[in-house]
Amino acid sequence: MPSNSPGFSTELQDYDHIVVVGLGITGLSVVEHLCTYAKHADVKVIDTREIAPGSEHLDDDIELFCGGWNTTWLQQADLVICSPGIAVATPEIATVIELGTPVIGDIELFAWQVTKPVIAITGSNGKSTVTDLTGELAKAAGINVGVGGNIGTPALSLLQQNCDLYVLELSSFQLETTYHLAPKVATFLNLSEDHMDRYEGMEDYRQAKLRIFEHAEQALVNGDEPETAPVPSHSLKLHRFSPIHTLGDTDYDIKVVDGEARFRLQRKTSFLTRQLSIVGRHNQSNALVALALLDLAGIDTTQCEGALQSYTGLSHRCQVVEHQKGVRWVNDSKATNVASTQAALSGLEVEGRLYLLVGGDGKGADFTPLKEHLAQLAVTLCCFGRDGDAFMELSNDCVRFQTMEQAIETISTKLTSGDMVMLSPACASFDQYPNFMRRGDAFIALAKQYA
């Protein structure tokens, strides 16, 4: 992986031959940015797909090469801007790096241009919710905020909004090609196995995430996961959060005061956790981090209570989609791996019975880590899809179905006030649905039908 302290120029005017690798939404935002700030440069686009998504939006004077690599263009370039989907270890890109040509991503380009404070967020799980909620709370505090990056709007497109604060979700892929981003506050939420097809191992993956702290002013790290902390530096102020107050010197945590769990910011108690609409202990942690990030950015969080209460979460991420007759229906279709479902179940509070929908394309995963979480709950495990059998030994109460619809049709007659129906499948959707969004939409439709 390239060094995080390269010696190349951060002025676009110093580059005359720029190649953008990968189109799509992010690539288009890069091209648009270059057309505004590098009008002097010869800009070309390479996309290895036969049909480049978004190519119909390219200006006619931008040359496009599809279906492979144009090594001549790459050799002639003095700057290459790579899509996050293209690993820097890809032979064609590795060759460019060996030539000494700067290879950057859209976030690095954003860093060259941005003049307002940035909150940067990474982690294996929860970063989309934390990013979105931080943005919503900032709006409630009266801040003109731009939210995007790896979620929603590309970072470069946010620059057009002339915001006073930027909140960015950053993936490890984006951080690989980011060198000069200097966030006001950066956080590394957690670390669990992911993207092992791209990295040499967990340490390689962790180091990619840790790049978020390289030029940060303040770091917020998970006090319960020491591996999320950067190497101590005199120039970096380090703060720790812990969802449950287990550490004596944690700056941000949740503590029971007079029988009520409250968020605590810099040892000062704040809102009640029960005010949240989003469910699960992991979402209490997400809310804590969002409040902490704003607090460290110097933003008054006392105005955020209403936004905390009304926030229902991102689509398909522990989202309460129906609450009828005392029964909550929760769409967590985004839980496509074991760690995500573990997070959803950890600390989950259900007054009655939990009907948990699991199954799909298991991708060869080991589901036994779910067993200890299920043992803490009054749960009926509703197993469906191609790998539904793999869940049948995890609980004393398991029922096998072929489809999610069959499961919901059956359990709907048994539901009573206090129960919860949750789709948190721990599997990909590809055996029965095109993607997790379509699976989640199907769950929502069924919830509305049977609630």
Side-chain angles (χ1 to χ4, degrees), residues 167-197:
V167 180
L168 300 183
E169 175 189 321
L170 300 178
S171 70
S172 59
F173 297 173
Q174 289 172 310
L175 289 166
E176 287 177 19
T177 51
T178 300
Y179 305 92
H180 294 95
L181 184 67
K184 177 77 172 176
V185 192
T187 188
F188 184 173
L189 301 174
N190 47 54
L191 181 69
S192 61
E193 187 173 290
D194 206 356
H195 305 304
M196 289 299 101
D197 55 342

Side-chain angles (χ1 to χ4, degrees), residues 129-436:
T129 297
V130 170
T131 301
D132 189 60
L133 179 54
T134 301
E136 289 301 312
L137 297 183
K139 290 176 189 175
I143 305 298
N144 179 19
V145 61
V147 180
N150 191 50
I151 177 180
T153 307
L156 289 170
S157 298
L158 293 175
L159 290 173
Q160 302 172 12
Q161 300 178 15
N162 193 29
C163 301
D164 295 319
L165 174 72
Y166 297 94
V167 180
L168 300 183
E169 175 189 321
L170 300 178
S171 70
S172 59
F173 297 173
Q174 289 172 310
L175 289 166
E176 287 177 19
T177 51
T178 300
Y179 305 92
H180 294 95
L181 184 67
K184 177 77 172 176
V185 192
T187 188
F188 184 173
L189 301 174
N190 47 54
L191 181 69
S192 61
E193 187 173 290
D194 206 356
H195 305 304
M196 289 299 101
D197 55 342
R198 177 142 165 173
Y199 295 102
E200 295 178 2
M202 281 296 289
E203 181 59 21
D204 191 31
Y205 174 48
R206 184 177 84 96
Q207 289 298 326
K209 293 283 193 187
L210 286 171
R211 292 167 69 94
I212 199 169
F213 296 124
E214 187 68 19
H215 302 290
E217 182 180 324
Q218 300 178 92
L220 178 67
V221 299
N222 190 334
D224 300 319
E225 295 191 30
E227 58 270 27
T228 64
V231 175
S233 165
H234 69 276
S235 62
L236 179 64
K237 297 177 182 178
L238 192 64
H239 308 270
R240 294 195 292 174
F241 73 89
S242 176
I244 301 174
H245 183 62
T246 57
L247 302 168
D249 58 349
T250 304
D251 301 293
Y252 299 93
D253 54 29
I254 296 172
K255 189 174 184 181
V256 176
V257 180
D258 296 330
E260 292 271 26
R262 289 182 176 272
F263 297 110
R264 203 168 66 140
L265 313 180
Q266 301 278 21
R267 298 173 175 77
K268 296 179 181 178
T269 54
S270 182
F271 311 114
L272 294 166
T273 60
R274 64 176 171 78
Q275 292 176 287
L276 294 174
S277 295
I278 47 180
V279 301
R281 184 178 295 165
H282 69 299
N283 272 324
Q284 292 182 2
S285 177
N286 291 338
L288 172 68
V289 172
L291 288 166
L293 289 169
L294 294 178
D295 184 62
L296 291 173
I299 295 170
D300 182 6
T301 60
T302 59
Q303 305 173 62
C304 299
E305 184 174 7
L308 267 181
Q309 291 176 326
S310 62
Y311 185 76
T312 57
L314 289 168
S315 298
H316 313 297
R317 293 172 175 85
C318 280
Q319 176 191 25
V320 179
V321 295
E322 284 291 332
H323 192 176
Q324 300 290 336
K325 302 174 184 176
V327 178
R328 287 183 292 175
W329 297 71
V330 181
N331 171 24
D332 191 34
S333 184
K334 182 64 169 62
T336 57
N337 57 42
V338 175
S340 294
T341 299
Q342 284 180 291
L345 296 177
S346 178
L348 185 66
E349 296 179 359
V350 185
E351 182 181 334
R353 190 159 197 82
L354 171 66
Y355 292 87
L356 182 65
L357 300 162
V358 293
D361 178 359
K363 301 176 288 186
D366 175 14
F367 299 111
T368 54
L370 294 174
K371 197 168 184 177
E372 62 177 293
H373 295 280
L374 295 170
Q376 309 301 316
L377 297 162
V379 61
T380 296
L381 210 57
C382 305
C383 314
F384 69 95
R386 186 171 70 196
D387 292 329
D389 288 344
F391 294 85
M392 291 295 291
E393 301 299 321
L394 300 182
S395 173
N396 294 328
D397 188 353
C398 296
V399 186
R400 184 68 162 98
F401 301 94
Q402 290 304 308
T403 66
M404 180 170 62
E405 183 173 7
Q406 289 175 356
I408 291 177
E409 183 179 7
T410 300
I411 66 176
S412 64
T413 60
K414 305 176 182 180
L415 297 174
T416 60
S417 181
D419 289 348
M420 177 185 293
V421 182
M422 173 184 275
L423 170 65
S424 188
C427 290
S429 61
F430 304 125
D431 60 325
Q432 294 183 339
Y433 300 93
N435 50 53
F436 74 83

